[in-house]
Amino acid sequence: MPKGKGPQGKRITLKVAKNSVRVLFNGRRRLELSKMGIAVFPKCLLELADVEEIDLSRNMLRKIPNIIEKFQNLMWLDLHSNQIDELPAAIGTLRNLTYLNLCNNKLTTKGLPEELTLLRNLRTLNLGLNCLESIPTTLGSLKELIELGLFDNSLTIIPKSVKKLPKIERMNVKRNPLPEFAKEDEPIDTIKRIESLYLVEKKDLCNSCLQTCQGERDELHKLEDMKPGPSDKPSFPSLTTPNSTAMDNQEEWRIKDDNP
């Protein structure tokens, strides 16, 4: 087995972590550890607990430890595409957090702690592509939320408190078994289709029914005899092909040459 790898995934040293810090245009420092094969939250990151942003997306993390509470400057946390099935209660201590991406994990309803609703400055929360069967009504206390991702879960209801969030601009609930999306509008069939067909002889019809049948038959014959109309292909009579004008001019030149 290669050195540094094992059941706990790739080992991240403090040196690697320090070299992964990037200063953004807004002056924030982001710890970029995406796609590093990390399966356990590296304790060495505590030495960098003053960063404002952490990207641990696309790893193999199953748990976020309570030591996350040490990152009190954190404003942006990306944990999407891991294997996280629950969040620690300590997540609620990150009061400066404005962005939290938990998309594409294994979160269940039980895995969402009540403390999540303490993130009162949160503006973007992505819980899409998880295993949620419901979401707590207390999420309605996140009054600063602008974007909320709930797509690709097993939700059958969205709490009114969440629907009525005062600043919400985008809420993605696609691909959930919600009642309002259960029945799609059936396409309107404009063609009258025959469900039953009865064959009778002319002599068995009354005069009224006979006249109706003859009228319908005459209409069908008219449709059969109808010739197709003129082509809808557009024509441009005022436009000439490149050679047509040249040919006309050539004929005119010949006349002039023959009559000096």
Side-chain angles (χ1 to χ4, degrees), residues 103-126:
C103 174
N104 194 23
N105 277 284
K106 296 183 178 181
L107 285 170
T108 62
T109 303
K110 291 181 179 179
L112 297 180
E114 277 188 37
E115 289 78 6
L116 188 63
T117 61
L118 297 176
L119 303 177
R120 299 300 171 85
N121 289 313
L122 207 57
R123 288 170 172 76
T124 299
L125 175 61
N126 193 346

Side-chain angles (χ1 to χ4, degrees), residues 57 180 208 236:
S57 64
E180 53 262 48
S208 177
F236 306 96

Side-chain angles (χ1 to χ4, degrees), residues 227-236:
K227 294 181 180 179
S231 172
D232 292 334
K233 185 177 180 181
S235 60
F236 306 96

Side-chain angles (χ1 to χ4, degrees), residues 48-145:
L48 301 169
D50 58 344
V51 296
E52 292 85 11
E53 302 190 2
I54 295 180
D55 183 358
L56 278 165
S57 64
R58 300 185 179 93
N59 282 294
M60 300 182 293
L61 291 169
R62 294 182 181 275
K63 304 288 182 184
I64 300 298
N66 281 317
I67 58 174
I68 194 71
E69 66 185 1
K70 301 294 184 182
F71 295 80
Q72 286 300 303
N73 290 340
L74 211 56
M75 302 176 70
W76 190 95
L77 179 58
D78 193 346
L79 298 169
H80 86 265
S81 302
N82 280 280
Q83 299 177 33
I84 302 168
D85 55 11
E86 65 177 345
L87 295 175
I91 195 78
T93 66
L94 305 179
R95 304 299 174 84
N96 291 316
L97 207 60
T98 61
Y99 176 96
L100 178 57
N101 190 353
L102 293 161
C103 174
N104 194 23
N105 277 284
K106 296 183 178 181
L107 285 170
T108 62
T109 303
K110 291 181 179 179
L112 297 180
E114 277 188 37
E115 289 78 6
L116 188 63
T117 61
L118 297 176
L119 303 177
R120 299 300 171 85
N121 289 313
L122 207 57
R123 288 170 172 76
T124 299
L125 175 61
N126 193 346
L127 294 170
L129 278 167
N130 277 286
C131 308
L132 301 174
E133 295 182 353
S134 64
I135 53 173
T137 58
T138 49
L139 280 186
S141 63
L142 300 177
K143 305 298 185 183
E144 298 297 318
L145 264 187

Side-chain angles (χ1 to χ4, degrees), residues 230-252:
S231 172
D232 292 334
K233 185 177 180 181
S235 60
F236 306 96
S238 61
L239 298 180
T240 58
T241 58
N243 288 331
S244 59
T245 304
M247 291 175 65
D248 292 341
N249 291 339
Q250 187 180 29
E251 187 65 28
E252 185 180 350

